[in-house]
Amino acid sequence: MKALVYHGPGNRSYDEKPMPIIKESTDAIVRITKTTICGTDLHIMKGDVPAVTDGRILGHEGVGVIEQIGGNVSNFHIGEHVLISCITSCGRCASCKKGMYSHCENGGGWILGNLIDGTQAEYVRIPYADNSLYPIPAGADEEALVMLSDILPTGFECGVLNGQVKPGDTVAIIGAGPIGLATLLTAQFYSPAEVIMVDNDDNRLEVAKKFGATQVIHNDLGNAVDKIMTLTSNRGVDVAIEAVGIPATFDICQAIVAAGGHIANVGVHGKPVQLNLDKLWSQNITLTTRLVDAVTTPMLLKTVVSGKLQPNQLITHHFMLDEVMQAYNTFGDAMKEKALKVIITNGIMSNEAMQTSNIFGIAMKERVK
Ligand SMILES: [Zn+2]
Ligand SMILES: [Zn+2]
């Protein structure tokens, strides 16, 4: 099969790889129909995630169809349409029982496209399929559901829930990339009075306005703190959500959090930050960190299927799987390309469809577009 393969920092290629096989009785093999690229994949490409080694197929998001199941998979059947969670979880260990799937003690957590081969491929092996896949209702928009593998639960759990966004709150989200925008969309479940988005990209701030931001701040002069303090009559914000993952954006959050407020970190940090306890020790604030557990995926799935949440607004580009190298170039140059999420479609047919086309004497094509 074909897949996007990491070959060390700065090196990737679209390679022929062996088909995944069932290794444990709790595994499923899923034929990918749609996948995408995450900001985390770009971090991996830069060499920021040393756990990812040469030869790894990247990708931890996607939807597909079950092609094979192990003997102990009971929730799913072959041919079923499924959403793949970026978090793999056994559902049985102490962490999973607490709903902390990201820290699954039986080899789960964020492993797809990290410690095991991922979803930017024709097929993927999903361990603990019963707890790591979600059934897709008939007629649901597949592309919108790709946003449920990672970015919507991440924005919601790490930003909105940990930040304890409440009705009437003033919320600031630092970073208007796909995760920041997913946070903006899901924050509105709780009717905050104000959502202030901060970024350096005019296009992303325009999108943020369409998605419901009440104020947008372009931080090219580094004066976002002053602007937010002016907007809030020097009170600061109830919830400051860090959605970038660098010291400068964390510093904005520390400077703008109001007394009694919350700083919710979402970004993936590669460097230490300075925590200004000399100013914050008396301010009754709460600082939270979290790796997404994806425990809210079933709830978010319902809101997407009903149309209450419309994450397909985040999709800006479409590619076929054999164009995945180009898709990386586009996503990697997001500001110039005005890219948010890219959808990558796998054109390969199922075994069943191939057999049908044989029966009817139609020239069998390995891949269809
Ligand atoms: Zn991701
Ligand atoms: Zn577990």
Side-chain angles (χ1 to χ4, degrees), residues 48-71:
D48 291 346
V49 189
V52 183
T53 51
D54 187 353
R56 175 70 62 240
I57 299 172
L58 299 186
H60 49 264
E61 298 161 274
V63 298
V65 177
I66 295 188
E67 288 276 313
Q68 282 179 56
I69 49 172

Side-chain angles (χ1 to χ4, degrees), residues 3 24 36 53 57 96 114 122 149 151 159 220 222 248 271 284 287 309 321-322 346 361:
E24 303 287 341
T36 183
T53 51
I57 299 172
C96 284
N114 177 13
E122 290 176 339
S149 289
I151 64 168
D220 56 348
K271 286 192 184 128
N284 303 28
L287 167 64
L309 197 62
L321 184 60
D322 60 12
N346 177 17

